Amino acid sequence: MGKKVLIVGGVAGGASAAARLRRLDEQAEIIIFERGEHISYANCGLPYYVGRVISDRKKLLVQTPQVMRDRFNIDVRVNSEAIEIRTDKKEVVVRERSGHTYSESYDYLILSPGASPVLPPLPGSKAENVFAVRSIPDVDAIKGFIEERKITRAAVVGGGFIGLEMAENLHRLGIQTFLIEMANQVLPPLDYEMAVFLHHHLRDKGINLILNDGVGSFGQKEGLVEKVVLQSGREIPVELVIMAVGVRPEVELARRAGLAVGEQGGILVNERLQTSDPHIFAIGDAIEFKDFVTGRQTVIPLAGPANKQGRIVADIIAGRDAAYGGTQGTAIVKVFDLVAAATGANEKILKNLGIPYEVSYTHPGSHAGYYPGSVTMHIKLLFDPAGGKILGAQIVGREGVDKRIDVLAAAIRRGDTVFDLQELELAYAPPFSSAKDPVNMAGYVAGNIVNGDLRVIHWHQIDGLDRASSLLIDVRTPAEFEAGHIPGAVNIPVDEIRRRLGEIPKDKEIIIYCRVGLRGYLAYRILVQNGFPKVRNLSGGWLTYHPVKEEEKWMKQDPMASGEQDAEQMRKTEVSSAPAGKTVEIDARGLQCPGPIVQVFQTMKNLKDGDMVAVSATDPGFLNDIKSWCANTGNRLLKVEEEGAVIKALIRKGRGDGTASDAVASSLVPQNRDQNTFVVFSGDLDKAIASFIIANGSASMGKKVTMFFTFWGLNILRRKPQVALNKGFMERLLGKMMPQGSTGLPLSKMNMLGLGPRLIRRIMQQKNVASLEQLIEQARRLNVRLVACNMTMEIMGIKKEELIEGVEIGGVATFLNEADKSGTTLFI
C-alpha cells in the first residue's frame, strides 16, 4: 500500500505538491484539506479582477476540486479546516463547515496554510466598508460593494505590491484614490531613490499619495467608515478602505502542535523543508528559511517560491534527493505605465546586516536608441566591492524590465560576479535591445568600480560635501546645464575638458557628473590620467540625483504630500470655475522639445484672460515642461495627464485670481531678472541648434532673449544665395572659406567631409525635430533679439546686407547692457 499524505491548504504550494506527488507516485493516497471553497486560484490576479482588467471570474481558478479528483485522483475536501495536529498519533483533526469533526491519519503531512492579512486593531477597522485582499471571496465582496454603493472615493492603506495594484485598479474604475503609506516610500523591496520614480508617476496619474503618515483611526457613521483619520491629525473623507499593510504567516496550527516557529514569525524548516517534526513539511507563505543572498532567516510570501517548494517536498516524499536553497525575493509589479522589479538584497538590508557592498546606477534605453520607441530604464546593481559578486538588483522602467531582472536573478542564483554580466551573450535586434544589452552595461559600469578604474560618489553624499575643499563639475552641454544643475556646480562640457584643465584646481577633490554617468566617466578618466589625484564620478548622474531632490521639494512644499488636498478634485474645481471663454486645441504630437512649448506660447499670445488651451504632445519632457512654463508665465495649469504615449494638458490664460496675464508677452515671471543673453561664438551646426533651442525655450517662458553673434557664429546669420557686394580681395577670400549661411555649417564632431551634418539633418527630420532654419524663424516670431557684433563683422569681411532680415548691428556695449540685466548669460 502506498504512502498516505495529507496536505493542509491548497493555492500555490499545496496544489503544486499534490499534483507533483501524483505524477511521481500513482499509489500514494493524497488528501487536500481547504477551509475555503477554492483549492487553487490566482491570488496575484485579484486586484485586476476588481479593476475589470480580468473580466471573467472563472479565469482566476487555476484548478477546481473536480479536476483534481478526475485528473490526479486526489481526494479534495473543501470547506474543511484542520484544527489540530496530534503528532504523537500522526493524526490531523478536521472540522467541516457543518461543525462535524473527525481525525485523519498520515504518513507525511504537508502544511501550506499561507498567510493572513495584517489588520491593525484600529477603531473602526471592522466596519462593513473596510476590506482586505487575500481571497476570491474578498474581491467578490469589494466588487459588490463598489457596484452597489457607486463608490467615488477610496483609501488604500499600505504601499506594497497589493496596495499599488489596488490603487491602480480602483483609479481605473474612476474612483478617487488615496494611497497611504507610513514609511517614506512605497514598495519596500526597492531602495528610496528607486521608489521615487514610482512616486512621481503615481502623482502624475492622479493618485493622492500620502507618505510618512499612518492611519490613527477610522471615523464611522452608521457602521461605515466615512473618514480616515491619520496619525498627523488630518482627515480624509472616504467611502471605501482597502487594508494592504502586509500579511503574517498562519502558524497557529503549527504552534499548537509544538512545531518550532522562528524569530521572523514563520514555521522553521530545514533545507528539505521539514519542520521540527521530520514527518511534517511546511511550504509557502507560512515558512521561515534562510535568505539565499544574506543567509539570514526571512519570510518571503511569493507564489513562485511556494510552487517550487511544493515540488521539492513531493520529490522528497517520493524518495528523490532534493533540497531548497532559499529564496532571493525576485518580484515585479506594474504601476500604471511603469514597471518595478527587484531581486536579491537591497541596500537597506545589506546596511542593517553590516554586509560590505557597493552600488552602481545605469539608465540605459529599453532597446537601440535609433529604433523608434526606446524608453529609459533605471537599474541599480548591488555587489561585493572586493570581488564583484552580485548581491541584488532593482529596475524601474516601462519596457524590457522583466527580462532584465530575470537575467540578473539567474546570475545571482549562479553566484555570478559583475564581470560575468559583461560576458553574457544576450539576444539583440534594434526593436528589442542594444548590442550592449542593459545588463551588459550594468556589468561594465560595476566592473570599472571593482577594478579601480572609477571612483564614485552617490546621490545622498552630494549635499554633505565640503564645498571649500571640493569642486563640482557638470560635464554636460550648456543647454543641459541651463535646464537644471546641482547648485554650486560649474559647467565644463566633457568635449572641452582637455583644453580647460588649467581651470581645474588639483588641490581640491573634483566631483564629476553628467546626465547618467557615461560622460562623467570619460571626464574622470581624462582627469586622473592628467595628474588629478582626487576625482569621483556621481554614479547615475543627474538622472539619479535630481528625482530625489524633486521628491524632497514636493514633500516640503506641495500640500498634497500631506494629504490636505485632493489633486483630482482640485483639478475638477478649477476647470468648472474657469471664466467663460473659448478653448483652443493644439495637436503637438510628434514635435520634439521645444516645439510643443513654442506652440502653446504662440497660441496664448492671441487669447484673452480666461480662454483655455488644450494641447496634446508626445514629447516625454512636455509633462514637466508645461508645469514649469505655466509656473513662470502667469498662466494656470488646470490639468495634465498621460494617456498612453500622449500627454494632454489644459491651460487657462491668467491665474484666475484677478491677476491679468498678457499671454507671456507681459513677462509675468516671478524672478527679478527675466532676461537671458547668449553669446554665439561657434559656427558649428550642433552648437547653433542648441543655442536656438535654449533661446526659443527661454522666450516661450516669457523671458526677453538677446543672442549676440560674434566671429564664427556670424556665419549662422548669413543669407543664401550669396549677395553680390563690392568687397576687397581678403574679404572675398574669407567669404569663400567660410560657410554660406546656416545650411553650410559643419558639425563640431563627426563632420566627415560634410556627411555628418547631412546625416544629423536627416535624423532630425525623421524625428520631427525642427531644423536650424525653422528654429531661427521661430526665434524671430518669438521676438528673440538677434545682434551681430560690428567689430567681428569688420574682421571677417561680412556686410550687413549679407545677413538675414531682422538682425541688429551692435557692439560690446550692447552685449554688456543686456548681460547686466540677465539672470543667465551663456557663451556658446
Side-chain angles (χ1 to χ4, degrees):
M1 188 173 181
K3 308 178 187 74
K4 184 175 182 180
V5 180
L6 306 184
I7 302 174
V8 176
V11 194
S16 176
R20 172 67 173 173
L21 183 57
R22 173 58 71 220
R23 292 195 296 271
L24 297 179
D25 188 346
E26 182 65 20
Q27 305 307 315
E29 182 182 359
I30 306 171
I31 304 173
I32 297 178
F33 300 103
E34 172 57 52
R35 63 186 170 191
E37 59 180 303
H38 304 290
I39 60 159
S40 184
Y41 58 89
N43 53 2
C44 297
L46 298 179
Y48 300 101
Y49 177 59
V50 172
R52 299 174 187 163
V53 177
I54 299 173
S55 57
D56 187 351
R57 183 177 181 273
K58 293 179 181 178
K59 291 183 178 180
L60 295 173
L61 303 176
V62 180
Q63 291 285 6
T64 65
Q66 189 63 44
V67 170
M68 292 293 281
R69 292 189 188 103
D70 294 344
R71 181 169 298 173
F72 296 103
N73 189 27
I74 293 172
D75 184 357
V76 178
R77 303 178 187 180
V78 296
N79 299 316
S80 299
E81 182 180 5
I83 59 173
E84 183 183 355
I85 303 171
R86 297 168 179 168
T87 57
D88 56 337
K89 298 180 179 180
K90 297 178 69 174
E91 290 180 349
V92 173
V93 179
V94 180
R95 180 172 57 209
E96 297 176 336
R97 178 170 291 182
S98 64
H100 173 255
T101 63
Y102 64 92
S103 63
E104 195 76 54
S105 65
Y106 64 83
D107 294 313
Y108 294 102
L109 172 63
I110 303 174
L111 299 180
S112 181
S116 57
V118 175
L119 296 174
L122 298 170
S125 63
K126 297 188 181 298
E128 183 183 346
N129 58 340
V130 177
F131 299 92
V133 183
R134 192 63 183 171
S135 65
I136 289 180
D138 290 338
V139 293
D140 286 341
I142 294 169
K143 278 178 64 69
F145 191 86
I146 290 173
E147 292 166 3
E148 178 186 347
R149 303 295 182 105
K150 310 299 181 188
I151 299 301
T152 61
R153 293 170 64 91
V156 177
V157 183
F161 291 100
I162 294 297
L164 290 172
E165 290 169 347
M166 282 303 302
E168 176 181 346
N169 281 282
L170 290 174
H171 184 273
R172 179 184 173 85
L173 297 175
I175 297 172
Q176 220 170 336
T177 305
F178 292 81
L179 181 58
I180 304 167
E181 171 56 57
M182 188 157 41
N184 67 343
Q185 67 164 86
V186 299
L187 211 59
L190 296 185
D191 289 314
Y192 175 74
E193 72 277 14
M194 300 298 287
V196 159
F197 293 111
L198 299 181
H199 297 175
H200 297 325
H201 191 61
L202 286 164
R203 296 187 186 109
D204 287 340
K205 287 297 185 181
I207 296 295
N208 302 302
L209 179 60
I210 301 172
L211 300 171
N212 289 320
D213 205 351
V215 176
S217 64
F218 298 108
Q220 296 183 81
K221 185 178 181 180
E222 298 178 356
L224 295 175
V225 168
E226 64 173 359
K227 63 183 176 181
V228 177
V229 182
L230 301 179
Q231 292 174 359
S232 62
R234 292 183 292 272
E235 298 181 352
I236 303 171
V238 295
E239 301 160 307
L240 172 74
V241 178
I242 303 294
M243 296 299 294
V245 296
V247 295
R248 63 167 58 95
E250 291 259 19
V251 299
E252 190 54 35
L253 178 65
R255 193 192 301 275
R256 290 200 306 267
L259 303 180
V261 175
E263 294 182 1
Q264 304 298 320
I267 303 169
L268 277 177
V269 295
N270 60 19
E271 63 179 12
R272 291 170 60 83
L273 296 166
Q274 291 169 306
T275 67
S276 52
D277 184 321
H279 293 93
I280 302 177
F281 298 82
I283 57 177
D285 297 355
I287 69 172
E288 181 174 320
F289 47 85
K290 286 187 177 181
D291 182 278
F292 180 79
V293 174
T294 67
R296 71 164 187 167
Q297 291 296 114
T298 188
V299 175
I300 300 180
L302 293 172
N307 273 288
K308 294 178 182 65
Q309 292 157 11
R311 181 183 179 91
I312 289 170
V313 167
D315 283 358
I316 293 171
I317 292 175
R320 298 193 175 191
D321 187 20
Y324 186 62
T327 296
Q328 62 201 67
T330 304
I332 191 167
V333 63
K334 172 185 173 293
V335 184
F336 290 97
D337 300 326
L338 284 185
V339 178
T343 186
N346 60 29
E347 191 168 356
K348 297 186 288 284
I349 290 172
L350 294 173
K351 187 178 294 184
N352 289 339
L353 295 178
I355 297 174
Y357 69 93
E358 184 52 272
V359 172
S360 70
Y361 300 93
T362 49
H363 305 277
S366 56
H367 59 251
Y370 59 82
Y371 187 88
S374 179
V375 289
T376 300
M377 65 174 65
H378 313 282
I379 301 178
K380 178 176 183 178
L381 198 62
L382 300 106
F383 50 92
D384 174 21
K389 183 178 180 181
I390 307 166
L391 303 175
Q394 300 161 39
I395 310 179
V396 177
R398 291 177 181 247
E399 297 178 4
V401 171
D402 52 348
K403 70 175 182 179
R404 272 59 183 235
I405 203 68
D406 284 345
V407 171
L408 291 166
I412 291 174
R413 180 61 60 166
R414 296 194 329 165
D416 284 353
T417 70
V418 297
F419 303 104
D420 293 313
L421 298 183
Q422 301 173 9
E423 299 299 321
L424 291 177
E425 184 176 330
L426 303 172
Y428 161 59
F432 305 105
S433 184
S434 299
K436 294 178 181 176
D437 188 86
V439 172
N440 298 135
M441 290 304 302
Y444 289 131
V445 172
N448 286 335
I449 296 172
V450 175
N451 281 337
D453 293 331
L454 176 65
R455 293 180 63 240
V456 293
I457 186 172
H458 295 297
W459 63 270
H460 56 86
Q461 298 171 311
I462 293 293
D463 292 348
L465 284 172
D466 179 3
R467 295 303 178 93
S469 60
S470 61
L471 176 65
L472 199 57
I473 301 179
D474 186 323
V475 297
R476 298 175 298 164
T477 63
E480 292 173 284
F481 184 82
E482 171 68 11
H485 57 267
I486 298 176
V490 299
N491 184 213
I492 304 179
V494 65
D495 294 337
E496 301 176 12
I497 204 162
R498 285 186 180 88
R499 65 175 180 267
R500 297 176 64 178
L501 292 175
E503 302 175 30
I504 304 173
K506 288 190 174 182
D507 61 340
K508 290 189 175 184
E509 181 178 29
I510 308 302
I511 306 298
I512 301 291
Y513 78 92
C514 63
R515 182 175 182 269
V516 299
L518 175 58
R519 284 172 289 176
Y521 170 62
L522 299 177
Y524 173 93
R525 297 303 303 164
I526 291 170
L527 291 179
V528 296
Q529 293 180 84
N530 277 277
F532 287 83
K534 296 181 290 184
V535 186
R536 284 192 285 173
N537 183 32
L538 175 59
S539 184
W542 176 254
L543 205 51
T544 296
Y545 174 88
H546 181 62
V548 176
K549 295 304 166 184
E550 286 296 296
E551 177 73 1
E552 292 175 355
K553 189 187 304 181
W554 176 281
M555 295 299 292
K556 289 178 182 177
Q557 299 177 3
D558 194 288
M560 275 311 305
S562 61
E564 292 177 354
Q565 295 186 33
D566 181 332
E568 190 67 27
Q569 186 62 37
M570 183 172 62
R571 292 186 188 114
K572 291 178 181 177
T573 301
E574 288 175 343
V575 173
S576 62
S577 64
K582 66 180 181 179
T583 299
V584 178
E585 294 188 1
I586 297 175
D587 186 356
R589 290 174 295 181
L591 293 180
Q592 301 297 319
C593 176
I597 289 292
V598 169
Q599 284 208 8
V600 172
F601 166 73
Q602 291 173 334
T603 302
M604 278 289 190
K605 288 195 298 185
N606 301 316
L607 299 181
K608 298 178 182 179
D609 281 348
D611 288 345
M612 293 188 288
V613 170
V615 57
S616 299
T618 50
D619 172 30
F622 182 71
L623 187 66
N624 289 318
D625 287 348
I626 193 61
K627 297 174 185 177
S628 300
W629 186 85
C630 290
N632 288 330
T633 57
N635 297 289
R636 172 153 285 185
L637 179 62
L638 301 176
K639 187 176 183 180
V640 60
E641 60 188 4
E642 293 178 277
E643 294 183 4
V646 179
I647 299 165
K648 294 188 175 182
L650 183 64
I651 307 130
R652 182 172 59 201
K653 183 173 180 179
R655 288 295 186 190
D657 55 5
T659 304
S661 169
D662 189 12
V664 192
S666 62
S667 297
L668 290 179
V669 182
Q671 290 85 356
N672 292 328
R673 296 190 174 190
D674 57 359
Q675 293 187 205
N676 283 337
T677 302
F678 299 75
V679 180
V680 185
F681 176 88
S682 173
D684 295 327
L685 173 63
D686 43 345
K687 296 177 182 177
I689 291 170
S691 301
F692 277 94
I693 286 176
I694 302 172
N696 290 346
S698 297
S700 298
M701 299 284 285
K703 296 194 176 188
K704 180 181 176 183
V705 179
T706 298
M707 302 182 75
F708 189 78
F709 295 83
T710 183
F711 281 95
W712 314 112
L714 290 168
N715 292 313
I716 302 170
L717 304 178
R718 296 177 73 192
R719 293 176 183 266
K720 190 176 184 180
Q722 187 172 352
V723 178
L725 293 170
N726 184 20
K727 289 188 175 185
F729 172 75
M730 291 300 296
E731 290 176 331
R732 290 197 305 273
L733 181 61
L734 278 172
K736 290 183 180 295
M737 295 171 64
M738 293 186 298
Q740 183 63 54
S742 61
T743 58
L745 300 180
L747 282 180
S748 62
K749 304 289 181 186
M750 300 194 313
N751 190 53
M752 298 182 291
L753 298 176
L755 178 62
R758 291 197 295 272
L759 181 61
I760 288 295
R761 285 179 178 272
R762 183 176 179 183
I763 293 173
M764 290 172 65
Q765 184 179 18
Q766 292 173 344
K767 297 287 188 181
N768 290 319
V769 179
S771 67
L772 174 57
E773 292 69 41
Q774 291 170 325
L775 290 169
I776 293 172
E777 181 58 32
Q778 212 172 60
R780 293 163 66 180
R781 292 197 302 267
L782 292 170
N783 297 318
V784 172
R785 188 181 181 193
L786 307 179
V787 181
C789 175
N790 60 351
M791 179 196 70
T792 49
M793 286 177 65
E794 290 289 332
I795 295 173
M796 311 288 283
I798 298 175
K799 307 298 184 183
K800 182 178 180 180
E801 293 80 3
E802 294 182 79
L803 304 181
I804 61 177
E805 292 183 7
V807 177
E808 304 175 36
I809 308 299
V812 68
T814 303
F815 161 69
L816 292 174
N817 181 58
E818 295 302 312
D820 187 58
K821 295 181 288 184
S822 294
T824 300
T825 300
L826 292 179
F827 183 92
I828 302 175

